[in-house]
Amino acid sequence: MATLSIAEALREAIREEMRRDERVFCLGEDIDIEGGFGGAFTVTLGLSKEFGHERILDTPISEIMIAGAAVGAAMTGMIPIADVQYGDFLFCMMDQLANNAAKMTYMSGGTVKVPMVMRAPVGATTRGAQHAQSLEGFFTHIPGLKIICPSTAYDAKGLLKTAIRDNNPVVVFEHKLLYGSKGNRAEKAALSPVGEVPDEEYLIPFGEGVIRREGKDITIVANLLMVYRAMEAADILEKEGISVEVIDPRTLVPFDYELVIHSIRKTSRLMIVEEDTKRNGWGAEVAAQIAEDALYYLDAPIVRVAGYDVPVPFAPVMENYVVPSASRIAEAARKLMKS
Amino acid sequence: MATLSIAEALREAIREEMRRDERVFCLGEDIDIEGGFGGAFTVTLGLSKEFGHERILDTPISEIMIAGAAVGAAMTGMIPIADVQYGDFLFCMMDQLANNAAKMTYMSGGTVKVPMVMRAPVGATTRGAQHAQSLEGFFTHIPGLKIICPSTAYDAKGLLKTAIRDNNPVVVFEHKLLYGSKGNRAEKAALSPVGEVPDEEYLIPFGEGVIRREGKDITIVANLLMVYRAMEAADILEKEGISVEVIDPRTLVPFDYELVIHSIRKTSRLMIVEEDTKRNGWGAEVAAQIAEDALYYLDAPIVRVAGYDVPVPFAPVMENYVVPSASRIAEAARKLMKS
Amino acid sequence: MYEQLFLLRNYEDRIYYMFLEGIMPGTIHQSQGQEACAVGVLFDVRKEDYMTSTHRPAGHCLAKGVSLESMMCEMFAKANGCCKGKGGAMHTGDISVGAIPAVAITAGGMPVAIGAGLSCKMRKTDNVVICFFGDGASNEGAFHESMNAAAIWNLPVVFVCENNLYGASTHINQVIKIKDLAERAAAYGMPGYVADGNDVLAVNKAANEAIDRARKGKGPTLLELKTYRRCGHSRNDACGYRDKQEEKEWFEKDPVARCKNYILQQQLAAPVELEAIEKKVLQQIDDAVAFAKASPSPEPQDALLHVYA
Amino acid sequence: MYEQLFLLRNYEDRIYYMFLEGIMPGTIHQSQGQEACAVGVLFDVRKEDYMTSTHRPAGHCLAKGVSLESMMCEMFAKANGCCKGKGGAMHTGDISVGAIPAVAITAGGMPVAIGAGLSCKMRKTDNVVICFFGDGASNEGAFHESMNAAAIWNLPVVFVCENNLYGASTHINQVIKIKDLAERAAAYGMPGYVADGNDVLAVNKAANEAIDRARKGKGPTLLELKTYRRCGHSRNDACGYRDKQEEKEWFEKDPVARCKNYILQQQLAAPVELEAIEKKVLQQIDDAVAFAKASPSPEPQDALLHVYA
Ligand SMILES: Cc1ncc(C[n+]2csc(CCOP(=O)(O)OP(=O)(O)O)c2C)c(N)n1
Ligand SMILES: Cc1ncc(C[n+]2csc(CCOP(=O)(O)OP(=O)(O)O)c2C)c(N)n1
Ligand SMILES: [Mg+2]
Ligand SMILES: [Mg+2]
């Protein structure tokens, strides 16, 4: 057992897969320049020492090309892991991801495959509106992609390895405040979700959520940073006699509805917590799906606590207001218990 | 009263606004080359005769530039109406729309405004996956944009004029099969929703849906082409004794929840019909919102009939299967009545 | 070569007529008049070499070796089309012969070619990538990012710009200020050449030089082929935006007729031999049409397959 | 000019120290060492001229006339910042002095400059647009599409590429194959020039020529300014990727010191005069810091305002 941060766990996953399979390579801006950053959040730091600069490929600032090159390489026998420094820049490559990566297998009638991974950091960290977005809701809306969002080191390693071995384009959303709180590129407000990671190889299948905490009054489904905020809220609420079950879906596409439905059969109350803006965030789909398939298990409205529908403001007081906090979650839970 | 197709109604709206206000201009690819098409669907055909090629500006095939130029012109005193030939190409300009157009007002603390209109045709018309998408769900997810989707000539003219006068970026989704069925660029499967349009000037405020048909058993909320499919389904269902109320929200952001809630208080059953793919389509948000705010009015699950979660296939038999048809809507309605 | 030129021309003409008859679904973007580009460039490439194409892919695909039957079936939206009826005209391709399914987003296939080029290089093959695009596409950001990447990484990619003077209805001189698009190569430190795109031998020569460079690890080339569409941009386009004199001049340079005349003049083949070839090709097309018509349609629910590999 | 150079340098140094102290939120991208670019280019522009900027906008904004206080308040996330605390360092701007709020997406401000240029032209003003971007940005698709549009429409835009040799940690020679980025202008039929970006007078001269052309309706120019960051790319960057010898050589060409030496050598001003200026500027900065610290923070719920105009 090793104790790793999420950044380290991701790096180990990449390292192991690159050792295992020659076809795997990384590309992106500043991912491992000598003396540089190892990507915006150190995930690829030092990998070029072992694998050389051909397989850890530093690119120009050309997002269309990065994504398109990943698609082309994937279709022709390679397994690219592409990187954007901030998820917000995915918009610059949206055409390649939505129109090519996601559709090539389908448009070809299943004759080509696109085994690529797109890694993107999300989350608000007082950098202003263009370096802050949580973009899950855009990508869950694109058929042909798979979407994962690991919130622990164990999951990060196991899910990324599965992603690399998947024959389809997988978008990995990583949260800036969860990479780890050590190192000179760590974020001020970072949590430190270091975790035990087995020494033996393991893979985590997509579509299997986990219960982070058991409870009986309310089911909270939350991802990435919001898992931790929900856990905090659960602590607060427990003292007030409200028992919260926290589910981390871990992958958004595919999504583990079974686990959620199983939980609400017990709690009969559902809350979804996401950092992404509320209108058409991934939580909207979860709420809609439950309202369609499992409405009768519920005794109360389905509540979503999400980023307010505004761009992310710079000032920390405003940013903290926009991103769901433990107390906002707790407050919504109290209200939900009364309804 | 004039009887206009939607393409004509949109053209008249642009013409009137360009006459009224010098700041209004159009830009896009092939929008009015001499002897050309007038945009992919003739909306801007012939306008350069009256306004000249400076105000009806044919551009290179440079979507990033088109959207960015609209943002820049809007911030500096002009009112651009930008055009993409197919909505699918919005992905090429996504960064400018999501990161700049939608956020500039906010990031500047309200000191700049971005009065621009982005027009985009959507809908499947046997052209294959990259010329077929309905993209509403991506754009309703971006705070700072307004989203409209006119389904009649009257609405097209009135809403577009309002959009042009709005101080914010407005995305107009127009359906390829609704532009009109005349002219050599009309679509084979096109409907012909010509309509009466008053000679006097009128504007339609955003956020006001309309009831296209009254009913008492089920409320169907549908937009664009799906309004007509829902109406067809309602005809079928009426014969079976099921009375359907059809609501056309007309604008997705802002959305007229009041009208929907008013309707479900009567019908106690809600169905949402959209051509966009189901997972995280705009219907997901509507369902989620109703499940949060008005759950107690409902006697049954909230049902969504939407494009299946696949890229749009080329073969007409498959395309027709993917896009909701009147019979699929009717079938879902029957099932809903039983639940 | 003539056989291929003749095939491309007649395949597309036949499609056009069937389209007018209304027996073919979808839309079409044809390349009559540009056949020498596809044939000249691809004549000597290997099956293992890759190609990326555009919304106007029929000629490229035939010349790259996608089977006539499978393309015809795709046009008829049949289950045994090269894309199983899922792709349609604008996404024609067959990866088994190196034809990456065409990308209908203008210039959207160019970054894909970079990936294929990286792949050829990283896997230490000496295969190359042919990247087709149009004059209009050269104003897209994707063009710029792709050209630069190929240059700095010295990728085995041959960029083939078919300059047919128009992007849809827009004349190229209205949207660029330079004379030749080949000049843009200099901005990336890449060689750029112009060739007569209606002369299949000239195209073949220029292309083979570029391909040879790429194969030997000497990096990418931009090849601009001056050519012209005989047809409209897409269905129902009467080309009202084109100058009639310009059309006339270009129509006289028809690449298929030119090749035929050349062969006859140089006595490289006898008229009867060419006639025999033509007859064979027309028969192949007839057969393909018959085959496609008789082929089964996909089931509606097949739409749900192949979203994931 | 020296006053401005000195202001830019000391404003940013002061910000840096406060950042280290931990009293300033967010992140910073500073431009110490590049001051001559901002000052030289903007020295003679009008308030009515527009400017687009980047993730590294402080120098541009000060030189364009955004008030020191309002910028300092923005850095402190105060309600009276130039963006009301909503924008932050990377979105600094003030449209009332022509400084379009900065775009932090690399090259993302360039198409915006096209729009501003169109606007200046269509409204028949003779105002111009200064479009700042970096060497790294020149590999973005947005660069390409913007340059071409400006060229074909003959827009009054001056493209200013501050080539500081690095895009984040990546040396420019690793990502382009040509010598000067100014060469790229030729691909658009636009004039392109190189100037010494650490010599404020050389910058001013080159910029004024370009601005003059633009103002007279003679179209856009690409101006490449060779310069160097004295600071890291962003906070916490020790520049481990830079060659120490390279750093040394460039640090010797410091634009602020150089301007000062020039003034003294040419006896354009006496040392005491310069000292007085410096003292005044430092006092202004002190005052701005004090003012910003004393200014009110926004209310949390203010986050909900200004989504729409
Ligand atoms: C991103 C994008 N923008 C616009 C279009 C619409 N469109 C299809 S073909 C075309 C013209 C392309 O011109 P060119 O690259 O010269 O190719 P050609 O049609 O002449 O073969 C346009 C504008 C598109 N398919 N994709
Ligand atoms: C689209 C996009 N990609 C990547 C980044 C991350 N990033 C911020 S600054 C920068 C380097 C920019 O280099 P350059 O244009 O030379 O400007 P400089 O930082 O040297 O001023 C990068 C890669 C970004 N902000 N936007
Ligand atoms: Mg062309
Ligand atoms: Mg730089």
mmCIF file of all heavy atoms in Angstrom, chain C residues 170-184:
data_model
loop_
_atom_site.group_PDB
_atom_site.id
_atom_site.type_symbol
_atom_site.label_atom_id
_atom_site.label_comp_id
_atom_site.label_asym_id
_atom_site.label_seq_id
_atom_site.Cartn_x
_atom_site.Cartn_y
_atom_site.Cartn_z
ATOM 1 N N THR C 170 -18.368 31.469 -52.266
ATOM 2 C CA THR C 170 -17.429 32.570 -52.039
ATOM 3 C C THR C 170 -16.134 32.381 -52.824
ATOM 4 O O THR C 170 -15.429 31.384 -52.640
ATOM 5 C CB THR C 170 -17.096 32.661 -50.537
ATOM 6 O OG1 THR C 170 -18.323 32.797 -49.812
ATOM 7 C CG2 THR C 170 -16.207 33.848 -50.242
ATOM 8 N N HIS C 171 -15.824 33.344 -53.653
ATOM 9 C CA HIS C 171 -14.579 33.258 -54.424
ATOM 10 C C HIS C 171 -13.389 33.446 -53.499
ATOM 11 O O HIS C 171 -13.409 34.287 -52.606
ATOM 12 C CB HIS C 171 -14.560 34.325 -55.526
ATOM 13 C CG HIS C 171 -13.504 34.062 -56.565
ATOM 14 N ND1 HIS C 171 -12.178 34.347 -56.365
ATOM 15 C CD2 HIS C 171 -13.579 33.490 -57.791
ATOM 16 C CE1 HIS C 171 -11.471 33.986 -57.426
ATOM 17 N NE2 HIS C 171 -12.308 33.468 -58.318
ATOM 18 N N ILE C 172 -12.366 32.676 -53.762
ATOM 19 C CA ILE C 172 -11.201 32.695 -52.874
ATOM 20 C C ILE C 172 -10.572 34.079 -52.795
ATOM 21 O O ILE C 172 -10.080 34.484 -51.733
ATOM 22 C CB ILE C 172 -10.173 31.612 -53.312
ATOM 23 C CG1 ILE C 172 -8.980 31.541 -52.365
ATOM 24 C CG2 ILE C 172 -9.711 31.819 -54.746
ATOM 25 C CD1 ILE C 172 -9.307 31.028 -50.995
ATOM 26 N N ASN C 173 -10.628 34.838 -53.866
ATOM 27 C CA ASN C 173 -10.013 36.166 -53.828
ATOM 28 C C ASN C 173 -10.745 37.135 -52.907
ATOM 29 O O ASN C 173 -10.227 38.188 -52.561
ATOM 30 C CB ASN C 173 -9.934 36.773 -55.228
ATOM 31 C CG ASN C 173 -8.889 36.067 -56.063
ATOM 32 O OD1 ASN C 173 -8.051 35.345 -55.522
ATOM 33 N ND2 ASN C 173 -8.945 36.264 -57.375
ATOM 34 N N GLN C 174 -11.944 36.750 -52.531
ATOM 35 C CA GLN C 174 -12.679 37.600 -51.602
ATOM 36 C C GLN C 174 -12.260 37.322 -50.161
ATOM 37 O O GLN C 174 -12.530 38.130 -49.269
ATOM 38 C CB GLN C 174 -14.179 37.335 -51.798
ATOM 39 C CG GLN C 174 -15.061 38.288 -51.045
ATOM 40 C CD GLN C 174 -16.532 38.146 -51.427
ATOM 41 O OE1 GLN C 174 -16.888 37.598 -52.474
ATOM 42 N NE2 GLN C 174 -17.393 38.657 -50.562
ATOM 43 N N VAL C 175 -11.612 36.205 -49.928
ATOM 44 C CA VAL C 175 -11.314 35.815 -48.548
ATOM 45 C C VAL C 175 -9.835 35.577 -48.255
ATOM 46 O O VAL C 175 -9.484 35.192 -47.143
ATOM 47 C CB VAL C 175 -12.134 34.571 -48.132
ATOM 48 C CG1 VAL C 175 -13.599 34.961 -47.940
ATOM 49 C CG2 VAL C 175 -12.012 33.447 -49.150
ATOM 50 N N ILE C 176 -8.994 35.769 -49.238
ATOM 51 C CA ILE C 176 -7.559 35.821 -48.958
ATOM 52 C C ILE C 176 -6.972 36.974 -49.772
ATOM 53 O O ILE C 176 -7.551 37.393 -50.770
ATOM 54 C CB ILE C 176 -6.785 34.521 -49.306
ATOM 55 C CG1 ILE C 176 -6.836 34.244 -50.813
ATOM 56 C CG2 ILE C 176 -7.291 33.349 -48.508
ATOM 57 C CD1 ILE C 176 -5.890 33.150 -51.264
ATOM 58 N N LYS C 177 -5.821 37.437 -49.339
ATOM 59 C CA LYS C 177 -5.221 38.580 -50.030
ATOM 60 C C LYS C 177 -3.950 38.182 -50.762
ATOM 61 O O LYS C 177 -3.291 39.025 -51.359
ATOM 62 C CB LYS C 177 -4.861 39.651 -48.990
ATOM 63 C CG LYS C 177 -5.631 40.937 -49.156
ATOM 64 C CD LYS C 177 -5.136 41.979 -48.192
ATOM 65 C CE LYS C 177 -4.542 43.184 -48.877
ATOM 66 N NZ LYS C 177 -4.218 44.249 -47.911
ATOM 67 N N ILE C 178 -3.591 36.919 -50.675
ATOM 68 C CA ILE C 178 -2.357 36.489 -51.333
ATOM 69 C C ILE C 178 -2.696 35.774 -52.631
ATOM 70 O O ILE C 178 -3.859 35.458 -52.891
ATOM 71 C CB ILE C 178 -1.530 35.561 -50.421
ATOM 72 C CG1 ILE C 178 -2.400 34.399 -49.918
ATOM 73 C CG2 ILE C 178 -0.978 36.350 -49.250
ATOM 74 C CD1 ILE C 178 -1.667 33.387 -49.083
ATOM 75 N N LYS C 179 -1.666 35.525 -53.439
ATOM 76 C CA LYS C 179 -1.925 34.948 -54.741
ATOM 77 C C LYS C 179 -2.130 33.438 -54.643
ATOM 78 O O LYS C 179 -3.150 32.919 -55.075
ATOM 79 C CB LYS C 179 -0.759 35.276 -55.687
ATOM 80 C CG LYS C 179 -1.109 35.124 -57.171
ATOM 81 C CD LYS C 179 0.043 35.621 -58.052
ATOM 82 C CE LYS C 179 0.371 34.625 -59.149
ATOM 83 N NZ LYS C 179 1.157 33.446 -58.760
ATOM 84 N N ASP C 180 -1.171 32.765 -54.077
ATOM 85 C CA ASP C 180 -1.257 31.313 -53.984
ATOM 86 C C ASP C 180 -1.350 30.879 -52.527
ATOM 87 O O ASP C 180 -0.611 31.377 -51.675
ATOM 88 C CB ASP C 180 -0.010 30.669 -54.601
ATOM 89 C CG ASP C 180 0.106 30.966 -56.079
ATOM 90 O OD1 ASP C 180 -0.936 30.923 -56.775
ATOM 91 O OD2 ASP C 180 1.234 31.257 -56.543
ATOM 92 N N LEU C 181 -2.209 29.933 -52.275
ATOM 93 C CA LEU C 181 -2.284 29.417 -50.909
ATOM 94 C C LEU C 181 -0.996 28.710 -50.520
ATOM 95 O O LEU C 181 -0.661 28.630 -49.332
ATOM 96 C CB LEU C 181 -3.489 28.489 -50.771
ATOM 97 C CG LEU C 181 -4.798 29.280 -50.684
ATOM 98 C CD1 LEU C 181 -6.002 28.387 -50.899
ATOM 99 C CD2 LEU C 181 -4.886 29.981 -49.326
ATOM 100 N N ALA C 182 -0.286 28.209 -51.495
ATOM 101 C CA ALA C 182 0.986 27.542 -51.209
ATOM 102 C C ALA C 182 1.946 28.461 -50.453
ATOM 103 O O ALA C 182 2.795 28.000 -49.691
ATOM 104 C CB ALA C 182 1.632 27.054 -52.501
ATOM 105 N N GLU C 183 1.766 29.761 -50.633
ATOM 106 C CA GLU C 183 2.629 30.710 -49.910
ATOM 107 C C GLU C 183 2.514 30.551 -48.396
ATOM 108 O O GLU C 183 3.416 30.919 -47.648
ATOM 109 C CB GLU C 183 2.253 32.159 -50.255
ATOM 110 C CG GLU C 183 2.489 32.557 -51.706
ATOM 111 C CD GLU C 183 1.902 33.944 -51.992
ATOM 112 O OE1 GLU C 183 2.092 34.866 -51.173
ATOM 113 O OE2 GLU C 183 1.228 34.086 -53.024
ATOM 114 N N ARG C 184 1.372 30.075 -47.972
ATOM 115 C CA ARG C 184 1.180 29.957 -46.521
ATOM 116 C C ARG C 184 2.140 28.952 -45.890
ATOM 117 O O ARG C 184 2.374 28.981 -44.683
ATOM 118 C CB ARG C 184 -0.273 29.581 -46.213
ATOM 119 C CG ARG C 184 -1.196 30.731 -46.501
ATOM 120 C CD ARG C 184 -2.529 30.638 -45.810
ATOM 121 N NE ARG C 184 -3.192 31.940 -45.899
ATOM 122 C CZ ARG C 184 -4.476 32.146 -45.723
ATOM 123 N NH1 ARG C 184 -5.267 31.138 -45.435
ATOM 124 N NH2 ARG C 184 -4.971 33.356 -45.807
#
